[in-house]
Amino acid sequence: MAEHPHALLVRRGYDAFSRGDMDTLRSLMTGDATHHVPGSHPLSGDFKGVDATLDMYRRLFEETGGTVRVEVRSILVDGRGHAISLHRFTAERNGKKIDETGGIIFRIVGDKITDLDECVEDIDRSNEFWS
């Protein structure tokens, strides 16, 4: 059975992120898309607009010396503009390593991502890694 278009959109986003392909990521999001990152570290907060979101992604790669990796585990859709992804996230930074499960709740309008709400397995571990 063919994958739902929203699942395909999310999968394309993960693939582009993994390749560092910011042009493709830009094409998958609305101009006012917002990515919400939980925690109390320098890379947490609400990144409003595609430029701010892509800059945050650039910083993830920069802060980890390009070691950041995400591996999609599953994508769930409701057929009404919501998708949920579960992924494995690994990275190294300043002698520290992180390896945990995470997820993102996507809001999709038409064929574009408008909002990304990120969730992490252990918020304290995430704060410590990024601080």
Side-chain angles (χ1 to χ4, degrees):
M1 182 163 30
E3 217 173 10
H4 188 277
H6 292 164
L8 290 172
L9 176 67
V10 169
R11 199 170 299 283
R12 283 184 60 212
Y14 271 97
D15 180 60
F17 178 86
S18 293
R19 291 182 287 109
D21 184 349
M22 298 302 154
D23 290 334
T24 295
L25 283 170
R26 179 180 297 282
S27 75
L28 302 177
M29 295 184 222
T30 60
D32 62 350
T34 302
H35 190 134
H36 309 275
V37 179
S40 58
H41 55 81
L43 288 172
S44 65
D46 297 325
F47 297 87
K48 298 177 183 182
V50 71
D51 290 334
T53 298
L54 295 179
D55 187 57
M56 184 265 294
Y57 297 164
R58 179 195 57 76
R59 289 179 58 204
L60 292 175
F61 283 100
E62 186 177 276
E63 290 284 328
T64 65
T67 64
V68 64
R69 300 283 183 267
V70 290
E71 175 189 324
V72 177
R73 296 270 170 93
S74 63
I75 300 171
L76 311 172
V77 299
D78 70 355
R80 298 179 296 113
H82 302 94
I84 300 172
S85 66
L86 292 175
H87 60 256
R88 178 178 178 211
F89 176 85
T90 60
E92 296 181 24
R93 178 177 182 271
N94 297 333
K96 300 180 274 188
K97 294 181 180 183
I98 193 165
D99 183 344
E100 69 176 9
T101 300
I104 301 176
I105 302 163
F106 294 85
R107 286 173 190 81
I108 300 164
V109 175
D111 61 352
K112 299 276 188 176
I113 298 166
T114 65
D115 202 66
L116 303 92
D117 281 311
E118 189 173 334
C119 298
V120 295
E121 182 176 35
D122 184 332
I123 201 159
D124 292 330
R125 182 177 2 168
S126 183
N127 284 333
E128 191 278 324
F129 178 78
W130 292 110
S131 294

